[in-house]
Amino acid sequence: MILPRRSWCQGVVLTQEDLTGGPGEAALPVDGAYGCAQGTEVVWLQCAPGGHPCKPEVYKLLGKPVSESWNCSGNGCGHTLLTPHSGTLSSKNYPGTYPNHTMCCWRLQAPPGSSLLLAFGDVDLEPSEHCAHSSLLLADPQTGTAYGPYCRNSVPSAPLLVTNSSTVTVLFNSTSHRSGRGLLMSYATSQHPDLISCLVRGTHYTQEYISVYCPAGCKDIHGDIWGNPSQGYRDTSVLCKAAVHAGVIADELGGQVTLSREKGITLYESAFANGLRSKRGSLSEKRLVFHKACDDVLEVVTFNASSWWHEVDVLGQDRAWVAERAALSTTGHSWAAKPGAKAAWLELDLGTRKNVTGIITKGSSEQHDYYVTSYHVSSSRDGKNWRPYRGSSGQEDKVFEGNADSHGEVSNAFIPPIVARYIRVTPQSWHQHIALKVALMGCQLARVRIPRPYEPSVPKEVLEATSHPPSHTPIPGIALDPEKAGSTLLVILLIGGFVLLCSCLLLLAFLCHRKRKSAVELNCGITKEYTEPDLVQANPSSQTGPSTFKPLLEEGYTLPLVLNHYDVPGKHNEYAEPLPPEPEYAMPFTEPEPAGMHRSPCIITGPAECSPGQYQTPALRPGELPAAVEGTGTPCSEESRGWPRHCPLAHVYHEAL
């Protein structure tokens, strides 16, 4: 009996002749069983819609043992990457319309002792009654647990499905239909409850800091990213794909991703990194910044190469493409191998062992169109024994994708990182000529001391002494090994002596400071007064006796040095400034006059023995008249401008004491 092709067959008795009759999908001889056969090959088997596993006679009828895993395959499989810890799978042509009359079977297997988590990224299958035309079914052939079938009118209730099994079979099939993108799913083990789909974008989150687990296989899933590792990424970018571009995770492994949502920028520049080309994007409200430790530019001590090119151009000018020009920060042309050289390589010496997490390559320059398109990387700790880098797979030497032009920079991450002193880059393919500039990313190697395993001390056999050794008084709370007691006590004594010496020095410094402060306060309490000389000579330089005037600079006088703000008068010689050449006078003040007396303000009287030559008054300026006499208005005569003889004293000029 040949059954027509359909999605699921139930309650139909299947014989051996039915399986050999031709391609088709048939039911198994168990009520409520599901199965799918193509020709004589049973590609999927499920007998548990009612919660019961398949009976042994069913497998016996098919000629297969119960423990044998069915070979899942089909012509409807799209992008697929399955690993023991995570993976991604999709239908054919996703996100385009999936083809008619196709099926695909995936068998997911987690490590023993762990269960599987399934993330539904997209399930867009044409709706039908009981999902008969196109459907998705999840089941565990061993325990008989089934989920589904799912289609557009019967979608999963939650984006994350938690199973209790380490083995899950995913079956997708389709008949004639008109529309539908198909399906996209991801999975991980139960150790990663924060699993997300490859289609999740940064706009799906509102919190500032994000920590999620990205599955393996998101690199080739349809989705755009804008930005680069140094600037950050536009928040509309696909999160896991951007993490691969930034070098935070490897696409073949997946992993935990930590990032923050920060303020957006005006323009996001495009970059090529880790096999992905990002787009140039415009302003966004937020941007995604991935947190990546150990990502500093490493200093290269020495560049070595298998050969270098000594170029002589058409004008006869020499140009040396030596190894030292391979530094990424070098301006102008780069290092280039000798034309025709085979197995050319460039070696970088870091001086000491470093933790190398990535590499940046560049071509010759804008003036020359030379660049390397692919290369291998090797590492060495001594510069003699070299080990090729094979990445996370560890099967074959990894081929890194290089540059596509001579002036752009391309980044590639080392996951896992390389721990070595010497890094060698071996070009595999190039454009016109082998020319290269290189920079290494990483950090200093953290020195972690591995603790020695505990070894219990074995007591040594000693001869019994004839005399009793002196008893030692144990110190409470301290257990001393008799063999190490001497050195331990010596260390304790040295530390105690050092602490005591430091205490004495601090006390001595404190006492000196107090003594000095007291002396300064005593000096500040002394008050000295200075007075002007009784007689003022017209020429200070004609003084023969002691003087309080500051000597002239020609006599060797220098200004006293002020050491600090505690300096006071008395500690250094200080002098008064001499009188200027022109006479200066103090401001006059008026003495009160007895009542009933009226005196002229400009007539000065003095003792009879005083002559006019001893007191001089300032001469009046041309046209200036003395002040009028109060009450009379009579000005002073010309005779009163000399020595005053008949005008009463009204203004008194005081000399300095």
Side-chain angles (χ1 to χ4, degrees):
M1 179 178 61
I2 304 300
L3 299 178
R5 175 175 290 275
R6 51 187 175 179
S7 298
W8 307 108
C9 305
Q10 299 183 8
V12 180
V13 177
L14 180 66
T15 64
Q16 186 73 22
E17 290 77 9
D18 295 331
L19 290 177
T20 59
E25 298 178 352
L28 301 175
V30 177
D31 292 340
Y34 291 85
C36 181
Q38 288 185 334
T40 59
E41 180 66 24
V42 177
V43 296
W44 187 80
L45 175 65
Q46 174 61 35
C47 301
H52 302 285
C54 293
K55 295 181 180 181
E57 55 265 24
V58 176
Y59 293 95
K60 185 177 180 181
L61 175 65
L62 299 176
K64 292 182 178 293
V66 178
S67 59
E68 184 175 344
S69 299
W70 302 101
N71 181 23
C72 285
S73 60
N75 57 357
C77 303
H79 169 71
T80 302
L81 179 58
L82 310 180
T83 70
H85 297 280
S86 65
T88 300
L89 53 94
S90 66
S91 58
K92 192 174 183 179
N93 297 338
Y94 181 86
T97 304
Y98 58 93
N100 293 327
H101 302 291
T102 58
M103 63 83 56
C104 186
C105 176
W106 298 272
R107 184 177 178 85
L108 312 181
Q109 181 71 49
S114 60
S115 58
L116 287 171
L117 302 177
L118 302 177
F120 297 99
D122 189 13
V123 178
D124 185 42
L125 305 177
E126 189 174 75
S128 60
E129 186 178 0
H130 303 295
C131 300
H133 294 168
S134 300
S135 61
L136 169 67
L137 182 69
L138 312 175
D140 179 9
Q142 301 298 327
T143 62
T145 305
Y147 306 92
Y150 300 117
C151 57
R152 190 180 300 170
N153 57 337
S154 179
V155 297
S157 58
L160 189 65
L161 175 63
V162 180
T163 68
N164 296 322
S165 175
S166 61
T167 303
V168 173
T169 301
V170 180
L171 180 62
F172 161 73
N173 72 94
S174 68
T175 58
S176 299
H177 66 282
R178 296 181 179 180
S179 64
R181 294 184 300 273
L183 67 95
L184 174 68
M185 291 180 54
S186 299
Y187 71 93
T189 59
S190 55
Q191 285 77 15
H192 306 290
D194 51 354
L195 170 70
I196 63 173
S197 167
C198 296
L199 300 180
V200 173
R201 299 178 181 270
T203 52
H204 294 169
Y205 298 92
T206 58
Q207 62 268 31
E208 183 177 358
Y209 296 98
I210 305 172
S211 180
V212 294
Y213 184 84
C214 289
C218 291
K219 175 183 175 182
D220 296 327
I221 296 299
H222 179 76
D224 295 329
I225 54 176
W226 295 267
N228 54 73
S230 59
Q231 287 183 319
Y233 298 85
R234 206 171 188 270
D235 59 348
T236 55
S237 302
V238 179
L239 198 149
C240 291
K241 195 171 184 178
V244 175
H245 184 271
V248 178
I249 60 174
D251 180 63
E252 60 271 16
L253 292 177
Q256 197 74 26
V257 174
T258 304
L259 67 153
S260 59
R261 297 174 68 248
E262 301 181 2
K263 184 178 180 181
I265 59 177
T266 305
L267 182 64
Y268 297 89
E269 295 292 344
S270 173
F272 187 83
N274 299 294
L276 288 173
R277 168 70 67 178
S278 63
K279 292 185 176 181
R280 196 168 183 258
S282 58
L283 174 67
S284 66
E285 181 180 358
K286 294 291 183 179
R287 63 187 172 115
L288 308 178
V289 178
F290 291 92
H291 300 167
K292 183 179 179 182
C294 192
D295 195 30
D296 301 328
V297 178
L298 297 178
E299 181 182 359
V300 179
V301 178
T302 308
F303 288 91
N304 295 315
S306 58
S307 62
W308 60 276
W309 182 21
H310 183 200
E311 180 190 12
V312 179
D313 58 14
V314 294
L315 299 178
Q317 298 178 352
D318 294 343
R319 182 179 289 109
W321 300 69
V322 294
E324 288 75 11
R325 302 200 60 83
L328 188 64
S329 58
T330 303
T331 58
H333 61 280
S334 65
W335 163 78
K338 186 178 181 180
K342 297 181 180 180
W345 49 262
L346 176 66
E347 182 180 308
L348 294 81
D349 181 7
L350 300 176
T352 59
R353 290 173 58 191
K354 301 291 179 62
N355 194 19
V356 186
T357 59
I359 183 173
I360 303 176
T361 58
K362 187 178 180 180
S364 56
S365 65
E366 296 182 357
Q367 298 178 355
H368 307 85
D369 195 21
Y370 309 143
Y371 53 90
V372 174
T373 57
S374 64
Y375 57 91
H376 287 164
V377 173
S378 304
S379 61
S380 174
R381 297 186 177 184
D382 55 5
K384 299 178 181 179
N385 301 315
W386 295 90
R387 180 181 180 181
Y389 184 79
R390 295 183 176 178
S392 57
S393 62
Q395 301 296 328
E396 299 179 354
D397 297 352
K398 184 173 182 178
V399 179
F400 292 91
E401 191 169 355
N403 299 77
D405 52 49
S406 60
H407 55 276
E409 296 182 1
V410 174
S411 302
N412 283 288
F414 297 142
I415 302 176
I418 300 175
V419 178
R421 173 180 174 178
Y422 301 92
I423 301 295
R424 178 175 289 183
V425 180
T426 306
Q428 299 298 305
S429 59
W430 53 88
H431 178 72
Q432 293 188 10
H433 204 88
I434 299 177
L436 195 63
K437 289 184 180 181
V438 180
L440 297 177
M441 311 298 292
C443 59
Q444 296 290 337
L445 184 63
R447 296 183 178 272
V448 180
R449 294 184 177 181
I450 302 176
R452 296 181 179 179
Y454 172 74
E455 297 181 359
S457 59
V458 180
K460 298 181 180 180
E461 296 182 358
V462 296
L463 298 176
E464 295 183 358
T466 55
S467 59
H468 297 283
S471 59
H472 297 276
T473 303
I475 303 175
I478 300 177
L480 297 178
D481 189 356
E483 297 181 0
K484 302 180 180 179
S487 59
T488 305
L489 292 176
L490 179 60
V491 172
I492 294 176
L493 291 176
L494 291 177
I495 295 176
F498 178 77
V499 172
L500 181 60
L501 178 61
C502 292
S503 302
C504 294
L505 292 177
L506 291 176
L507 180 60
L508 181 61
F510 176 76
L511 293 176
C512 293
H513 180 70
R514 289 288 302 273
K515 184 176 180 181
R516 180 181 178 184
K517 185 175 181 182
S518 300
V520 171
E521 292 176 354
L522 181 60
N523 293 336
C524 290
I526 301 176
T527 304
K528 296 184 180 181
E529 297 181 358
Y530 297 86
T531 59
E532 294 292 338
D534 293 336
L535 297 178
V536 179
Q537 298 182 2
N539 187 7
S541 61
S542 62
Q543 298 178 1
T544 57
S547 175
T548 60
F549 290 110
K550 178 175 67 177
L552 298 177
L553 296 179
E554 290 79 359
E555 300 179 9
Y557 172 76
T558 58
L559 295 176
L561 176 63
V562 179
L563 299 179
N564 51 51
H565 62 279
Y566 291 106
D567 292 341
V568 297
K571 298 181 64 175
H572 305 282
N573 295 328
E574 298 182 1
Y575 302 91
E577 294 289 342
L579 292 176
E582 297 181 1
E584 295 183 357
Y585 300 91
M587 295 297 297
F589 62 92
T590 306
E591 294 182 353
E593 298 181 1
M597 296 184 63
H598 299 279
R599 300 181 181 181
S600 174
C602 60
I603 300 176
I604 302 176
T605 60
E609 63 271 15
C610 296
S611 62
Q614 290 179 324
Y615 292 88
Q616 298 179 358
T617 59
L620 294 177
R621 299 177 183 177
E624 182 179 1
L625 296 177
V629 178
E630 184 180 357
T632 61
T634 304
C636 298
S637 61
E638 292 294 335
E639 298 177 356
S640 63
R641 297 179 185 176
W643 168 246
R645 297 182 180 179
H646 57 276
C647 294
L649 182 61
H651 296 280
V652 180
Y653 295 87
H654 290 268
E655 295 289 341
L657 296 178

